[in-house]
Amino acid sequence: MAERILVTSALPYANGPVHIGHAVEYVQTDIYVRFLRSCGRDVVYFCADDTHGTPIELNAAKQGLKPEEFIARFHEEHQRDFHDLDVRFDYFHSTNSQENRQYAELIYGRLKEKGDIERRNIEQTYCENDRRFLPDRFIKGTCPNCKAADQYGDACEKCGKAYDPTDLIDARCALCGTPPVRKHSEHLFFKLSRHADFLQDVLRKPGFLHPGLATQLQGFFEKGLADWDISRDGPYFGFAIPGETDKYFYVWLDAPIGYIATTEKWAKETGKAKSALDYWSADADTRIIHFIGKDIVYFHALFWPAVLNVAGFHIPSEIKVHGHLTVNGEKMSKSRGTMVPVRDYLDQLDPSYLRYFYAANLGPGVEDLDLNLKDFRQRVNGELVNNVGNLANRALSLLAGPLEKRLAPGRAEGPGRELVEAALARVPEVRDAFDKLEYRSAIRVITEIASAANGFLQTAAPWAQVKKDAEVARADLSDAADVAYLLGALLAPVTPRLSEKLFAQLGAEPLTFQALEGAKYPLLDRSRPIGTPEPLLPRLEEERVNAIIKLPEGAAAPQAAEARPAKAAKTEKKPAEAPAATQAAAPSAGAAESPGEIEYDDFAKVVLKAGKVLAAEKVQKADKLLKLTVDVGEGSPRTIVSGIAEAFAPEALTGRNVVVVANLKPRKLKGIESRGMLLTAGPGGKELSLLDPGDVAPGSEVK
């Protein structure tokens, strides 16, 4: 029997919208699940809203709603946002469900039976004004370590020191500002300390957790695993603990149980399993994979496996951990408008752009990912639109126009067949990269395949050949269409709606990784006509990209960077005297001298043409230089050496439209003859932008 795989993403809290930082995890997980499914694997993907806790209770009350009404609103909103982001769960449930109550009580009962629940009397902070015990995030005061003011009751955001709420200096209730008192209450603890040896064995299992994170967790063992308080005092929105008075399960007990409850709900509604135990019983032949952020590793890698093991359930097989999202190099912030709700993004842009950019920057590690809006726009335009999209559009437009949508039979030999077979030979690289969560490596190979196909078309020039020998042009374009078909399959986990459009335009069935295992040239059924081509995606415009950042009402707009003083120009010796009537005013200190006016005839000598970058690579032993292969509408592409390596990675340039000074005298740079120059704007170094002539054919005159 084939291995069954169950994949989860961390449960979004039903206290606000899903934002683009959350989206990193759901996109990362969805790509992996789509990849596994494309490989023919038996995989299900579950998620749910995390609905319990004090914040839900209090925020619902502020809005005059019952907690159940409050979370229902976000339940609908979250599902809509995920769907429009092209994230496809097999089931999306809620922790405030009968299934979750059932399994929470079952697991708690088993922990009790095994002697792993202990009753303890503890001292807590209590607000007499609000008549409630204060959770960590509902008490503020001065850090006992660094004396920073206005810190929460669990850890200092300035020095990073963790502490108990009772340690805060000048503590106050975060709700009303009243100084709290200390009050004793009886709580229930899970004896996590008893399971140190078991958890050490789990952490040593190959593939269970990133090695660096497993090493970090050793700190908890060195100081002794602390037992875990799994109860909270009322008032509290959550499940009442059986046999107790005014005690509720702490949200971190029942939230991960939501994974099991969602499996149960899916099994009931679809009939595809008898119950959740088909996947979650200790002896089930299941591979359980959790995708989470690096801030909740403790709960998933220590507390959760120990609870599952004691209760007789299947422990996670793998925990995949990602870093956080920054925007323009800074931590996401509401005040800066960078805490962007997914809905605000989707109101402006297609999800394919964001999914592609995340994939192009994601690896299996826990490093943070930066959404620099300029890099986002340039990389998506250069790689996805101008490289992959351009290939499909160039090939299919000619096939659908003068060549009547008919493909040519496969060829026995020649460059076109070699192109397709070389692309097929790289499929194992892409498969291996997706399997290891090395999405950025997969994207690199995919863009290289597309670049090779664009280079093939540039050399074959079927647009010129179609009038001389239509069948030769048809054969070349059909081989390029084969590569476009392959690219649709390789990108389907990342940009599913783009691949669906491409398959439809090719008039072909979706191509999967499973089908590619035995695929041979030609990939397309050459006896079938293609469909109707159209651009797969428009280019990202700067104005639309910047529009996703919305400053809160009343917030000050970010100040423009101060103008950098121009470097003082070298000046010639001033003449001893000049007639008063003709002497020019002296330039201000530090201002660069103007090169002087030129005649129109001087400017008219410069020939500017639109070009398209077909390939780019670094020049050895030259940190600032890139060697570019640029189509400027001539018989063969030009080689241009450009000093833009600090501003652009080579892979971000392939497919870019550029403006070329076409009649510049050739010169050698690092032994490479450069035939032209690209026009850029900016002060230099990393701060350069390429001038874009727009969507015009290579060789078009720029005026």
Side-chain angles (χ1 to χ4, degrees):
M1 183 177 177
E3 178 189 49
R4 287 181 298 190
I5 304 172
L6 186 150
V7 181
T8 73
S9 293
L11 312 187
Y13 203 42
N15 195 31
V18 177
H19 59 64
I20 58 173
H22 299 134
V24 171
E25 179 172 311
Y26 302 102
V27 168
Q28 182 187 39
T29 316
D30 185 73
I31 290 172
Y32 187 64
V33 171
R34 286 179 184 270
F35 164 71
L36 292 177
R37 199 161 280 143
S38 183
C39 292
R41 308 296 294 275
D42 181 355
V43 57
V44 288
Y45 178 23
F46 297 135
C47 196
D49 268 338
D50 180 5
T51 58
H52 292 155
T54 302
I56 298 282
E57 173 210 342
L58 293 173
N59 285 326
K62 286 179 184 177
Q63 297 187 25
L65 298 172
K66 293 180 179 178
E68 293 82 358
E69 295 171 330
F70 182 79
I71 63 175
R73 185 182 70 185
F74 285 112
H75 190 63
E76 295 304 315
E77 180 181 307
H78 288 175
Q79 289 184 86
R80 184 172 63 252
D81 289 350
F82 285 132
H83 181 274
D84 293 349
L85 194 61
D86 290 340
V87 173
R88 294 292 183 269
F89 303 111
D90 286 275
Y91 206 93
F92 187 84
H93 201 23
S94 167
T95 59
N96 193 51
S97 65
Q98 185 54 42
E99 294 81 14
N100 207 40
R101 183 190 297 272
Q102 169 196 336
Y103 277 99
E105 291 180 356
L106 173 66
I107 288 172
Y108 170 71
R110 291 184 178 179
L111 300 181
K112 244 180 124 175
E113 288 171 9
K114 297 287 182 67
D116 271 280
I117 298 296
E118 182 174 275
R119 193 179 300 273
R120 296 180 188 173
N121 194 286
I122 64 171
E123 186 180 59
Q124 297 175 276
T125 51
Y126 182 84
C127 179
E128 294 181 314
N129 182 60
D130 292 307
R131 297 183 181 180
R132 65 166 64 241
F133 286 97
L134 298 174
D136 298 344
R137 306 298 284 183
F138 285 86
I139 180 171
K140 281 191 165 186
T142 299
C143 171
N145 181 54
C146 72
K147 306 302 185 288
D150 209 32
Q151 298 302 311
Y152 286 109
D154 53 353
C156 177
E157 292 182 343
K158 185 172 182 180
C159 71
K161 178 78 172 179
Y163 42 71
D164 291 327
T166 51
D167 294 334
L168 277 176
I169 301 169
D170 298 326
R172 67 184 187 279
C173 171
L175 299 173
C176 67
T178 303
V181 298
R182 296 188 180 188
K183 191 172 180 179
H184 283 82
S185 177
E186 204 168 63
H187 275 236
L188 301 168
F189 283 76
F190 170 63
K191 295 181 180 178
L192 186 64
S193 57
R194 294 174 59 176
H195 305 287
D197 290 344
F198 162 75
L199 291 171
Q200 287 281 31
D201 289 341
V202 170
L203 291 174
R204 282 192 286 265
K205 287 182 179 178
F208 174 74
L209 188 67
H210 187 281
L213 291 173
T215 299
Q216 286 181 25
L217 290 177
Q218 292 305 312
F220 289 102
F221 295 93
E222 290 167 5
K223 64 183 180 183
L225 283 180
D227 294 337
W228 192 252
D229 186 349
I230 63 165
S231 60
R232 289 295 183 268
D233 296 283
Y236 192 83
F237 181 56
F239 295 140
I241 300 178
E244 303 294 329
T245 301
D246 205 27
K247 300 290 180 188
Y248 297 82
F249 287 128
Y250 175 40
V251 64
W252 265 108
L253 177 82
D254 73 72
I257 293 172
Y259 300 139
I260 303 173
T262 304
T263 313
E264 181 73 18
K265 182 70 171 178
W266 168 80
K268 285 179 183 177
E269 292 206 354
T270 65
K272 293 182 179 179
K274 293 178 183 177
S275 75
L277 296 180
D278 284 3
Y279 285 84
W280 288 93
S281 65
D283 58 355
D285 183 18
T286 310
R287 183 175 157 208
I288 296 174
I289 306 171
H290 294 315
F291 281 76
I292 62 168
K294 62 184 179 182
D295 54 332
I296 54 174
V297 172
Y298 174 86
F299 302 101
H300 281 79
L302 297 181
F303 178 65
W304 178 230
V307 166
L308 289 170
N309 185 58
V310 174
F313 282 79
H314 197 303
I315 68 168
S317 311
E318 301 165 41
I319 298 177
K320 308 293 188 183
V321 185
H322 61 83
H324 295 149
L325 182 74
T326 58
V327 178
N328 292 330
E330 297 182 333
K331 185 178 178 180
M332 293 175 66
S333 161
K334 287 183 179 179
S335 64
R336 294 190 187 98
T338 55
M339 191 80 73
V340 181
V342 163
R343 181 52 50 189
D344 284 0
Y345 170 89
L346 293 170
D347 285 344
Q348 293 289 335
L349 302 170
D350 189 295
S352 301
Y353 299 122
L354 192 67
R355 290 176 63 101
Y356 180 86
F357 185 80
Y358 283 173
N361 289 278
L362 276 169
V366 296
E367 62 270 19
D368 291 345
L369 185 158
D370 184 47
L371 179 62
N372 178 283
L373 295 187
K374 179 183 175 183
D375 291 346
F376 169 54
R377 177 171 52 84
Q378 292 181 340
R379 185 157 193 183
V380 168
N381 283 343
E383 296 178 9
L384 190 61
V385 179
N386 292 345
N387 193 11
V388 176
N390 181 59
L391 171 68
N393 195 51
R394 290 170 98 184
L396 301 186
S397 294
L398 278 171
L399 281 168
L403 298 175
E404 303 170 328
K405 296 187 177 182
R406 289 188 293 110
L407 297 168
R411 295 189 276 197
E413 58 183 15
R417 177 169 183 147
E418 292 169 5
L419 171 77
V420 178
E421 290 179 339
L424 281 170
R426 304 203 69 182
V427 171
E429 292 180 65
V430 179
R431 181 195 300 271
D432 186 59
F434 275 131
D435 194 48
K436 294 177 178 176
L437 301 189
E438 270 286 4
Y439 297 169
R440 57 195 171 201
S441 297
I443 293 298
R444 177 182 54 78
V445 176
I446 290 168
T447 56
E448 288 172 359
I449 292 171
S451 295
N454 275 307
F456 164 77
L457 279 184
Q458 193 60 38
T459 300
W463 44 86
Q465 188 72 20
V466 72
K467 294 179 181 179
K468 302 174 186 177
D469 191 332
E471 293 312 309
V472 170
R474 189 191 312 278
D476 289 338
L477 291 165
S478 298
D479 290 338
D482 250 19
V483 177
Y485 189 33
L486 174 62
L487 292 171
L490 301 182
L491 279 171
V494 179
T495 54
R497 66 174 64 187
L498 182 145
S499 293
E500 288 169 11
K501 287 181 185 177
L502 183 52
F503 294 147
Q505 292 180 27
L506 287 163
E509 293 295 316
L511 184 62
T512 65
F513 276 90
Q514 187 175 23
L516 284 171
E517 289 178 13
K520 296 180 180 179
Y521 172 86
L523 287 173
L524 287 163
D525 180 350
R526 301 291 181 93
S527 66
R528 295 179 58 179
I530 67 166
T532 302
E534 60 181 28
L536 295 173
L537 276 175
R539 287 171 55 78
L540 277 177
E541 299 300 332
E542 184 174 6
E543 184 178 347
R544 299 252 343 249
V545 171
N546 291 342
I548 67 174
I549 305 295
K550 297 177 181 176
L551 287 173
E553 192 173 340
Q559 293 184 349
E562 292 183 11
R564 300 186 182 193
K567 292 181 180 178
K570 291 181 180 179
T571 56
E572 295 178 4
K573 265 190 171 182
K574 185 179 175 182
E577 277 292 338
T582 60
Q583 187 173 348
S588 60
E593 286 191 359
S594 166
E597 294 179 344
I598 64 171
E599 297 291 339
Y600 176 79
D601 288 346
D602 294 327
F603 174 74
K605 294 176 184 178
V606 180
V607 177
L608 302 178
K609 288 188 176 182
K612 183 179 290 292
V613 180
L614 304 179
E617 61 184 85
K618 291 186 175 181
V619 175
Q620 291 186 358
K621 299 181 181 179
D623 293 340
K624 297 181 180 180
L625 298 181
L626 293 180
K627 177 186 174 184
L628 310 173
T629 303
V630 184
D631 172 14
V632 289
E634 300 165 335
S636 59
R638 294 190 183 199
T639 295
I640 296 176
V641 178
S642 182
I644 57 174
E646 291 180 272
F648 299 95
E651 58 270 18
L653 290 170
T654 304
R656 289 285 300 270
N657 293 335
V658 293
V659 176
V660 178
V661 180
N663 63 334
L664 194 67
K665 186 177 180 179
R667 60 178 296 199
K668 283 196 173 183
L669 296 168
K670 292 291 181 179
I672 305 168
E673 185 176 69
S674 178
R675 298 179 54 244
M677 181 172 68
L678 305 189
L679 293 192
T680 64
K686 295 181 179 179
E687 299 182 42
L688 277 179
S689 295
L690 283 168
L691 297 192
D692 189 338
D695 292 322
V696 295
S700 298
E701 190 175 355
V702 178
K703 297 183 178 181

